[in-house]
Amino acid sequence: MSSAAELLSEIRQSSERRPFEVLKLAEPLLNTGKISRAEDVWLVYEQVFTAAIDEGQIELAKTILTILQKRFNDSQRVRRLYGMINEAVGHPSEAKQLYTQMLDADETNVLASKRLIALLKAEGHTKEAISQLVTYLDTHANDFEAWLELCSLYLRHHLYPQAAFCIEEVILQQPANHYFHLCYAEICYTMGNLGTALKEYLRVVELSTDNVRGFYGVKLVADRILDLGNRPKKEQQDAALGDAPQPATLQRLSQLATERLVYAYNRASESSRKAAEAWLKK
Amino acid sequence: MSTARGVAVAAFLAMLHSGFSAREYLRYSKSIGRQDPTLPIEIVLECLISLVIMTVAVVVGVGILRPVSYEAEMKRYSIDGIYSRPSFQVFNHRGRFLRPIADHPAMAEQAVKDKAAS
């Protein structure tokens, strides 16, 4: 097993979108035919396919699609890839037709309905995409990826309470994943929901040791609550504090966050350490 | 690691041996008509000690153990991966123009066209 295949599988499992690296790694495998020796060869093909259309290498994508079609004759997953080529070359209506056909044949085809929503998003019809996604989530309420997508679509329209609701659903499904708590905390902070934001930032640093973004959040929220007394009346009334801790506790939290951040930046480069220290001293 | 595996195999054989001895001993006591036979201490000790040795050897020989905490597992994921939502990716983006021109079909084509136009 070559290390290129291992790296590819690592990228695939992380589900990060890194088409340039994927193609660079896969090129020698494709040229020498070594790819057929990998144990998850079909997954690698699909990965390279997506990377290829991401990078606009439509010819390569078509070659891979023929290989996949030969192996999986009437697979819905492979038909969807054909629709994705159409999307990439700018024929959204053909892609839409294909996905609708797939849905006519099988209403429960998750991949096709997700592609239809993505098409709406690509065409800029975010509102329709939102309403379609809401209908989709009525049936597939345990699809956290769709909840995240709905959250990001709501955020595009600055609908923070709705976005917060979506993230809450995701947290219900994966309560120990600190990235979702982080997103929720940031949305709450933006809404001025300071009490919840502080709790969620603290949850982030509890679940992930020395999480820099989490400690920045703790410091920002704690300082903002402490500073509320000096702010205009309106802002004081708007801030939802919930059951935020006493000022003494807030001060200690802010101090703790500063201390951990200074520690975290000890390993960073000189310039970024100085910038962070200057900000923390304010 | 291979020594540990060897020790584990040896201990396993010893355990098999103790089982075999127990069976032979019971058969023997039955044939001489002894009532309520109990196993001699050697056989019991052989069985227990080989079990302990085998357990330790298998755990040592399995290689580097991965940390069990959820946090260590989460370290493998990045925020980009968690938020990437692969089934909702859209493809009408500028990706095809981001590669260097030299190995780039779309841009090269465009360059040829531009040259022809000028």
Side-chain angles (χ1 to χ4, degrees):
Chain A
M1 191 77 162
S2 62
S3 62
E6 276 162 31
L7 282 173
L8 280 175
S9 117
E10 220 166 79
I11 295 181
R12 197 169 56 240
Q13 275 164 24
S14 74
S15 76
E16 280 167 28
R17 193 176 188 177
R18 285 149 68 183
F20 297 93
E21 278 152 292
V22 168
L23 281 190
K24 215 170 191 179
L25 286 169
E27 215 176 345
L29 287 182
L30 286 170
N31 289 341
T32 56
K34 266 189 192 156
I35 191 168
S36 52
R37 260 188 270 155
E39 51 188 292
D40 38 15
V41 42
W42 305 113
L43 290 177
V44 177
Y45 270 131
E46 196 186 20
Q47 182 183 21
V48 178
F49 175 89
T50 330
I53 53 175
D54 249 342
E55 224 190 79
Q57 295 203 20
I58 304 299
E59 286 312 310
L60 174 63
K62 280 182 179 158
T63 329
I64 294 177
L65 185 65
T66 8
I67 299 172
L68 285 171
Q69 270 169 343
K70 244 183 234 161
R71 174 68 178 75
F72 304 99
N73 201 2
D74 44 39
S75 150
Q76 297 297 312
R77 194 162 158 180
V78 174
R79 281 187 75 191
R80 177 191 66 137
L81 297 184
Y82 180 65
M84 275 153 75
I85 286 193
N86 272 332
E87 281 179 53
V89 295
H91 302 308
S93 50
E94 271 112 44
K96 190 176 259 168
Q97 204 182 349
L98 177 79
Y99 299 142
T100 327
Q101 273 173 13
M102 284 165 75
L103 276 181
D104 284 342
D106 175 15
E107 267 187 282
T108 58
N109 192 323
V110 175
L111 295 174
S113 29
K114 281 185 175 179
R115 284 318 310 166
L116 275 179
I117 294 164
L119 257 180
L120 285 174
K121 189 176 77 165
E123 287 171 334
H125 304 309
T126 339
K127 279 182 190 148
E128 284 87 24
I130 288 178
S131 63
Q132 291 264 334
L133 202 47
V134 170
T135 331
Y136 170 84
L137 280 167
D138 267 344
T139 340
H140 307 273
N142 57 353
D143 185 346
F144 85 91
E145 193 188 9
W147 280 114
L148 274 183
E149 180 65 32
L150 185 58
C151 174
S152 91
L153 289 177
Y154 276 136
L155 285 180
R156 277 193 193 185
H157 289 272
H158 309 289
L159 295 166
Y160 296 109
Q162 284 84 345
F165 177 82
C166 298
I167 275 289
E168 279 166 16
E169 289 288 332
V170 180
I171 290 177
L172 269 182
Q173 288 174 35
Q174 299 189 20
N177 189 326
H178 63 268
Y179 292 119
F180 299 144
H181 287 283
L182 185 65
C183 187
Y184 186 47
E186 280 160 358
I187 292 173
C188 287
Y189 181 70
T190 317
M191 281 196 293
N193 201 344
L194 298 180
T196 324
L198 181 62
K199 269 191 196 166
E200 286 298 316
Y201 276 124
L202 289 173
R203 175 76 70 206
V204 173
V205 295
E206 182 193 357
L207 289 171
S208 156
T209 314
D210 280 349
N211 187 304
V212 174
R213 201 156 151 179
F215 271 121
Y216 268 124
V218 171
K219 187 166 168 59
L220 277 172
V221 184
D223 287 353
R224 193 159 147 194
I225 299 178
L226 284 171
D227 194 44
L228 267 184
N230 311 327
R231 310 295 298 181
K233 265 260 150 51
K234 172 131 194 336
E235 197 178 322
Q236 288 186 27
Q237 283 161 357
D238 283 350
L241 288 184
D243 48 351
Q246 296 300 309
T249 322
L250 286 170
Q251 242 147 23
R252 286 177 59 203
L253 279 175
S254 169
Q255 267 171 18
L256 172 77
T258 314
E259 197 186 305
R260 294 320 297 170
L261 283 172
V262 168
Y263 173 77
Y265 277 101
N266 268 340
R267 278 164 295 166
S269 70
E270 185 76 5
S271 57
S272 57
R273 201 185 74 215
K274 277 202 176 129
E277 272 168 12
W279 184 81
L280 289 168
K281 270 191 198 122
K282 263 195 284 184
Chain B
M1 220 159 97
S2 56
T3 36
R5 203 165 286 167
V7 171
V9 169
F12 179 67
L13 290 178
M15 204 157 80
L16 280 184
H17 175 256
S18 72
F20 178 73
S21 327
R23 181 172 170 278
E24 286 297 301
Y25 180 79
L26 289 179
R27 231 170 56 175
Y28 170 71
S29 357
K30 214 185 232 169
S31 66
I32 62 168
R34 195 187 289 164
Q35 295 293 319
D36 184 28
T38 47
L39 285 174
I41 189 82
E42 296 95 317
I43 295 181
V44 178
L45 276 185
E46 186 186 14
C47 177
L48 290 180
I49 291 173
S50 61
L51 175 69
V52 170
I53 292 177
M54 191 175 81
T55 316
V56 172
V58 164
V59 171
V60 169
V62 84
I64 302 158
L65 297 175
R66 275 167 57 191
V68 75
S69 74
Y70 193 79
E71 199 186 328
E73 173 69 16
M74 283 306 299
K75 281 231 166 76
R76 293 172 47 221
Y77 297 95
S78 68
I79 196 160
D80 295 334
I82 295 277
Y83 290 156
S84 74
R85 312 185 297 276
S87 12
F88 291 102
Q89 281 174 355
V90 296
F91 299 102
N92 53 349
H93 54 67
R94 58 189 171 169
R96 76 196 73 165
F97 300 114
L98 286 179
R99 255 185 319 151
I101 289 184
D103 51 11
H104 199 295
M107 293 281 279
E109 219 169 87
Q110 190 62 42
V112 170
K113 270 186 205 159
D114 288 350
K115 219 173 206 178
S118 67

